Amino acid sequence: MMNRFFLRLVLLFLLLTSLLALSPMQRKDGDLRPTSVSGDGKILRRAKRGWMWNQFYLMEEYTASEYQYVGKLHSNMDRGDGTVRYILTGEGAGTIFQIDEKSGDLHATKKLDREEKAFYTLRVKAVSTRTNRSLEPETEFVIKIHDINDNEPKFSKAIYTASVPEMSSVGTSVLEVTAMDADDASYGNSAKLVYSILQGQPYFSVEPDTGWIKIALPDMDREVREQYQVVIQAKDMAGQMGGLSGTTTVNISLTDVNDSPPRFSYSSYQLSALESAQIGSVVGRIKAKDGDEGENADMEYDIVDGDGRDIFSIYTDRITQEGVVTLKKKLDYEQQRVYTVKVEVCNTNVDPRFLSFGPFKDTATVKILTQDVDEPPVFSQSQYVIEVQEDTLKGMVIGRVTAWDPDSTHHPVKYSIDKHTNRDRFFHIDVSDGSITALQSLDRESSKWHNISVLATEINNPQQMSRAPVLIKVLDVNDNAPEFAMYYETFVCENVKAGQLIQTISATDMDEPLDGHKFMFSLSFSNPNFTVLDNEDNTARILTRRSGFNRHELSAYYLPVVISDNDYPAQTSTSTLTIRVCGCDRSGNMRSCSVEALVLPAGLSTGALVAVLLCIILLLMIVVLFSALKKQRRKKTLIMSKEDVRDNVVSYNDEGGGEEDTQAFDIGTLPLFDYNDFSPTHKSDLMSAWHKAQLILRGCSGKAQKPSM
C-alpha cells in the first residue's frame, strides 16, 4: 500500500510540473512561442525559463481515462475567427498524438513507455482555411517522455555458479554479479542500484555498490560442507523504501585443498595367504582414509618394518587408492606360520600452506597368516644325473632318488617310473626306497643317455604327485675291437718294384677312451710279398716286399692285418685286405686285370662296359632265335603219322599226383631237340650267330668254347 501511495504522489508531482511547464504558444515575428492566458482572456507574455520553447514533456505510463494533455500550439496569426487551421506531422502524428485543428491543443491518445521510446520529433504549421496556404513556415518541436520507476532491476543470469578454495581468508572475492535497470539513470534514482544478501550469511557477504560476493567466515572446510546457496538482491531508488528489486541465486562450491592427512581406520589389520600362492599373487588390500579428493587424496604405501619385509611387498592402486599387499617369496607353512609388517601411508602432494594440519602420513601393523595346503611330495633334487658303466650286470642298483611329504602330517611316499619314458623297460625303481636298478644290459654304443621320469605319490592321497627327471649316463667300457675305417680292396701292378706303397689304411673304434684312440697295425704272420708300416698316427702303409707279380699265376692276394687299441682291457681284431694283381703301363696306371678284377670297385672303362652290354644283347638274340626254331619244329610234328604215340593227346579227368606221381606220365616219350632236325638255312643262321658271339666273348674274357652240337 505504501508503495502505491508513493507512486501516486510521484505521478501527481510530475503531472503538475508538466502542466505548469506546458502553456499555450503564440506567434511573434513569424514564430510560434509558448504563451499563457490570464483569467480575463488577455494574452500575457512570459519571460523565458530554463526549458526550450520548442520542447514539451510528457509523463510515461499515463493511466487516466481521458487523453493526456501535452500543450497548446498557437500562432498570433490566429484571430480566433476560425480562419487558421493547425496541421501536425512527424513521429506518432495522428496515431499517438492528436491536435485540435482550430485551437491547437495537443493530446496523447495512448499510454507511452519511455523504455520503448524516450522522445518524439514532430512538426506543426498553420494554414489558412480559406486559401489553404501556409500562414508561416513549418516549425519542429520535441516531446520528451518523463521517466517513472516502473522497471525492476534484472540480473544477467537467473542462476550463477562459482567456486572458491576451502580455507580461504575473509574478504576473498568469489564472484561479481551485475543487475541492469531499464529506467533512466540520468533522471532521479530510478536506476541507482544497491546490492544486498538475502541468503548465505554468515558465510558470504556482498559489496553494495559493485555486487562482488566475498568470503565472510574464516576456515570454511570442504570436508564439513561443500555446497552453499546464496541469494543476492539488487534494489533501485538507491535502496530506499518503495524501490523495485530483483534477485538471483548463486551456487558456490568449495574446492579442495590438501588440508586432510591420510589416516588408517584401524591400528592393525590381519590378512591370510595359502602357502601354495604363487609369487606376485595378491595377498590382500588395506586402505587409509583421506577427506580430500583428486590429486590431494593420492597416497603412497610402503612396508617400513617387520619380519615379513622380505617376503611381502605393497603397491598403491591408483584407481581405488588402496594398498595392495603381494607375495615376493614362496611361503612355507611348516617353516613360518605368521608374519608381521609395518605399513606406512603418506600423501604424494603435500601443500606447504597446511603443514600445520599434519603430519601427512600414518602407520598400521599388518599381520599375515600362512594357511596350510596339502602339498605334493618334494624331491631332494630338481634333477638327478646317474652314471653307470655299460658292463653293469642286470639287476644291479645304479642310483637312488629321495622324496618326502613337506606337510606336517608327513604322509608316506611311493615311487614309480613314468611308463612313457621307460618303454623298453631298461630300469626298475623300488616302490618304497626309490632305488633304481638296471633290468637289461646297457650298451653305450647303442644309447649314451637314458632319460626317465620318476614319480613320487602320497599313499594317502594319490592326487598329490610330483615328478623329477632322472638322466642316466652310460659310461664307456673298452668292449669293442678296432677295425678298418672302410672296406679296402686295392691292386698291385705286375711290374711293381719292392718297397712301393700300394695302400694307406686307417681304423675306427666305437669306444671312446678318455685319452683318445691309439691304434697299432701289424701282420698276423710274416708275409714274403707285402709288409705293414705303422705311421703311429692311427694309419699304416702297405708296401711291397718284392717285385715281379704275375696275375696268371695268382690273380689276388689276401693280406690279414692285425689292429690293436691301447685301452684296458686291450681289444684286437684282424681285418683282411684284398690285393688284386693287374697289368699296368710304365707309369703304374692299371690297364687290365683278371676276369674277377673287371668288376672291382676301382671302376670299368667305357669300352669294357659297351662290350659287356653287346654280349648281353647277343645272348638275348640267341635265346629268341632258339625259341623261333622250336616253334617251327612243333609245326612239323603236327603232320606226322598218327601212329606216333608220342604226339597223341589223351584226355582224362583224374588229378595228377604232383612231383611224386611218376606213373602218370613218361617224360621220356617227349621229342628231344636235335640239331640235325633244322633246315639247312636255319643251320647256317645258327652257326653265323654263334661265331659272332664267340668273337665278342673272346674280346671280353679271352676264353670261349664251342658247344657240342
Side-chain angles (χ1 to χ4, degrees):
M1 293 295 293
M2 292 295 294
N3 288 340
R4 293 181 179 178
F5 176 73
F6 182 76
L7 180 59
R8 290 176 180 176
L9 289 178
V10 173
L11 293 175
L12 181 60
F13 172 76
L14 294 175
L15 179 60
L16 293 175
T17 304
S18 298
L19 292 176
L20 293 174
L22 301 176
S23 59
M25 304 185 67
Q26 129 176 357
R27 170 76 176 170
K28 182 179 180 180
D29 298 330
D31 292 333
L32 291 173
R33 293 184 180 273
T35 63
S36 61
V37 183
S38 63
D40 56 3
K42 294 181 179 180
I43 298 176
L44 304 177
R45 295 190 181 274
R46 183 170 61 180
K48 291 183 180 180
R49 297 184 180 179
W51 45 268
M52 296 292 294
W53 69 268
N54 59 347
Q55 287 187 356
F56 293 92
Y57 291 90
L58 188 63
M59 185 175 61
E60 69 169 335
E61 302 296 342
Y62 180 75
T63 58
S65 58
E66 66 276 5
Y67 292 158
Q68 185 178 0
Y69 181 72
V70 179
K72 188 178 184 66
L73 300 175
H74 186 74
S75 173
N76 56 3
M77 297 293 292
D78 185 2
R79 305 302 180 186
D81 54 2
T83 59
V84 176
R85 181 166 58 92
Y86 297 95
I87 299 176
L88 183 67
T89 60
E91 295 177 329
T95 56
I96 299 175
F97 303 102
Q98 289 184 358
I99 191 171
D100 189 327
E101 294 181 350
K102 294 180 179 181
S103 63
D105 291 331
L106 184 63
H107 291 83
T109 63
K110 293 182 179 181
K111 182 173 66 173
L112 302 179
D113 188 357
R114 189 201 65 84
E115 286 70 38
E116 293 182 0
K117 191 171 181 61
F119 64 89
Y120 296 84
T121 302
L122 295 100
R123 293 175 297 278
V124 65
K125 64 180 178 178
V127 298
S128 173
T129 58
R130 297 174 181 175
T131 63
N132 205 28
R133 293 181 179 179
S134 297
L135 300 177
E136 56 184 71
E138 187 178 56
T139 300
E140 184 178 88
F141 64 97
V142 176
I143 300 176
K144 289 187 175 182
I145 310 301
H146 267 304
D147 182 48
I148 63 172
N149 190 19
D150 60 342
N151 290 281
E152 71 277 3
K154 291 184 179 180
F155 286 92
S156 57
K157 295 181 180 179
I159 298 177
Y160 289 84
T161 301
S163 62
V164 63
E166 63 175 331
M167 296 298 173
S168 296
S169 59
V170 176
T172 301
S173 298
V174 179
L175 177 69
E176 183 185 22
V177 295
T178 304
M180 302 295 295
D181 195 317
D183 293 325
D184 190 358
S186 62
Y187 180 78
N189 293 325
S190 298
K192 187 175 183 181
L193 306 181
V194 174
Y195 298 93
S196 61
I197 184 167
L198 301 182
Q199 178 182 321
Q201 295 174 326
Y203 308 105
F204 301 95
S205 63
V206 64
E207 290 289 336
D209 298 330
T210 62
W212 268 104
I213 302 173
K214 296 185 178 181
I215 295 290
L217 190 67
D219 299 331
M220 296 176 64
D221 193 354
R222 185 197 65 84
E223 288 73 33
V224 176
R225 182 178 177 183
E226 182 177 2
Q227 300 291 336
Y228 295 86
Q229 190 175 75
V230 179
V231 178
I232 302 297
Q233 174 184 267
K235 190 174 184 180
D236 59 14
M237 298 300 291
Q240 297 176 6
M241 184 178 297
L244 303 179
S245 63
T247 60
T248 186
T249 300
V250 183
N251 294 323
I252 302 176
S253 301
L254 297 183
T255 58
D256 186 55
V257 297
N258 194 6
D259 61 337
S260 297
R263 291 290 181 264
F264 283 109
S265 300
Y266 308 98
S267 59
S268 64
Y269 295 83
Q270 181 171 308
L271 303 175
S272 62
L274 297 174
E275 64 173 334
S276 60
Q278 299 298 317
I279 294 177
S281 60
V282 175
V283 176
R285 292 171 176 255
I286 60 175
K287 185 176 183 180
K289 293 183 178 180
D290 192 324
D292 297 321
E293 62 182 8
E295 65 177 9
N296 294 322
D298 288 345
M299 293 177 284
E300 192 72 34
Y301 296 86
D302 190 22
I303 297 177
V304 296
D305 198 7
D307 59 356
R309 188 174 182 179
D310 297 331
I311 306 298
F312 303 95
S313 61
I314 190 170
Y315 69 90
T316 303
D317 187 331
R318 295 302 176 189
I319 298 177
T320 63
Q321 294 300 315
E322 293 177 311
V324 183
V325 180
T326 60
L327 188 62
K328 190 161 59 174
K329 292 183 179 179
K330 289 288 290 182
L331 298 175
D332 191 343
Y333 175 81
E334 287 70 33
Q335 291 185 359
Q336 187 169 348
R337 301 184 181 184
V338 180
Y339 295 90
T340 302
V341 293
K342 186 177 182 180
V343 178
E344 180 182 83
V345 62
C346 61
N347 277 137
T348 56
N349 302 303
V350 178
D351 194 332
R353 297 176 299 172
F354 305 103
L355 290 177
S356 60
F357 290 67
F360 284 83
K361 61 182 178 180
D362 195 14
T363 58
T365 301
V366 180
K367 182 182 293 185
I368 304 173
L369 305 179
T370 305
Q371 295 181 347
D372 188 24
V373 174
D374 189 8
E375 300 175 272
V378 177
F379 283 93
S380 59
Q381 301 178 29
S382 60
Q383 176 178 287
Y384 293 86
V385 178
I386 299 175
E387 294 183 348
V388 57
Q389 298 285 346
E390 64 176 325
D391 59 351
T392 299
L393 299 178
K394 298 179 182 179
M396 289 189 62
V397 176
I398 62 174
R400 188 184 306 274
V401 298
T402 304
W404 64 91
D405 181 11
D407 298 320
S408 57
T409 54
H410 299 296
H411 292 147
V413 174
K414 65 177 182 180
Y415 301 91
S416 62
I417 298 177
D418 187 348
K419 62 180 180 180
H420 299 290
T421 62
N422 192 30
R423 295 184 182 276
D424 296 330
R425 297 184 58 80
F426 276 102
F427 306 99
H428 170 74
I429 189 169
D430 190 278
V431 175
S432 58
D433 63 5
S435 58
I436 301 174
T437 58
L439 297 179
Q440 301 182 30
S441 298
L442 304 179
D443 187 5
R444 189 202 63 84
E445 287 71 35
S446 299
S447 179
K448 297 180 181 179
W449 289 90
H450 296 272
N451 301 332
I452 62 175
S453 292
V454 175
L455 308 178
T457 308
E458 287 187 13
I459 295 178
N460 295 348
N461 185 7
Q463 298 297 326
Q464 297 298 331
M465 180 179 63
S466 299
R467 68 172 59 227
V470 179
L471 310 180
I472 301 174
K473 182 179 181 180
V474 182
L475 301 179
D476 185 43
V477 173
N478 192 28
D479 58 348
N480 291 279
E483 57 186 15
F484 279 155
M486 58 178 292
Y487 175 74
Y488 294 103
E489 188 171 10
T490 186
F491 70 92
V492 62
C493 295
E494 291 180 312
N495 56 355
V496 70
K497 296 180 180 180
Q500 185 171 342
L501 173 67
I502 63 173
Q503 183 69 47
T504 299
I505 59 176
S506 62
T508 184
D509 193 335
M510 296 179 66
D511 296 321
E512 292 183 358
L514 298 177
D515 298 332
H517 291 293
K518 176 62 180 175
F519 300 127
M520 294 170 289
F521 300 87
S522 63
L523 296 178
S524 60
F525 55 85
S526 177
N527 190 295
N529 301 310
F530 305 97
T531 186
V532 175
L533 182 60
D534 195 336
N535 295 328
E536 298 184 355
D537 60 354
N538 293 333
T539 63
R541 291 173 290 171
I542 307 298
L543 305 176
T544 58
R545 298 188 67 178
R546 66 179 181 87
S547 60
F549 290 89
N550 190 340
R551 57 179 168 168
H552 297 289
E553 294 179 357
L554 187 61
S555 61
Y557 292 89
Y558 301 97
L559 184 66
V561 179
V562 179
I563 308 174
S564 304
D565 59 22
N566 65 337
D567 205 351
Y568 181 83
Q571 298 289 336
T572 302
S573 69
T574 301
S575 300
T576 301
L577 177 65
T578 302
I579 304 174
R580 302 288 181 179
V581 180
C582 299
C584 304
D585 57 17
R586 293 181 179 181
S587 300
N589 298 321
M590 182 184 67
R591 302 191 61 178
S592 64
C593 296
S594 61
V595 176
E596 293 84 354
L598 287 174
V599 294
L600 294 180
L604 299 176
S605 63
T606 304
L609 290 175
V610 173
V612 172
L613 182 62
L614 290 176
C615 292
I616 293 173
I617 294 174
L618 181 60
L619 290 175
L620 291 175
M621 292 176 62
I622 293 174
V623 171
V624 172
L625 180 60
F626 271 96
S627 298
L629 292 175
K630 190 173 181 180
K631 288 181 180 180
Q632 184 178 5
R633 177 64 179 174
R634 289 179 179 177
K635 289 180 180 180
K636 288 184 178 181
T637 58
L638 292 175
I639 59 176
M640 293 179 64
S641 174
K642 294 182 180 180
E643 296 179 357
D644 191 350
V645 295
R646 294 177 302 177
D647 295 330
N648 290 336
V649 178
V650 180
S651 298
Y652 57 93
N653 295 326
D654 294 338
E655 293 184 358
E659 295 179 356
E660 297 180 356
D661 188 4
T662 57
Q663 303 299 324
F665 184 74
D666 185 6
I667 196 171
T669 60
L670 293 176
L672 300 176
F673 170 76
D674 190 355
Y675 177 74
N676 295 322
D677 292 337
F678 289 103
S679 64
T681 303
H682 288 159
K683 289 181 179 179
S684 177
D685 295 338
L686 181 61
M687 291 301 298
S688 176
W690 176 252
H691 285 303
K692 291 181 181 180
Q694 193 175 31
L695 291 175
I696 294 174
L697 291 175
R698 287 178 181 177
C700 296
S701 60
K703 298 179 181 180
Q705 295 181 357
K706 181 177 179 181
S708 63
M709 300 292 182

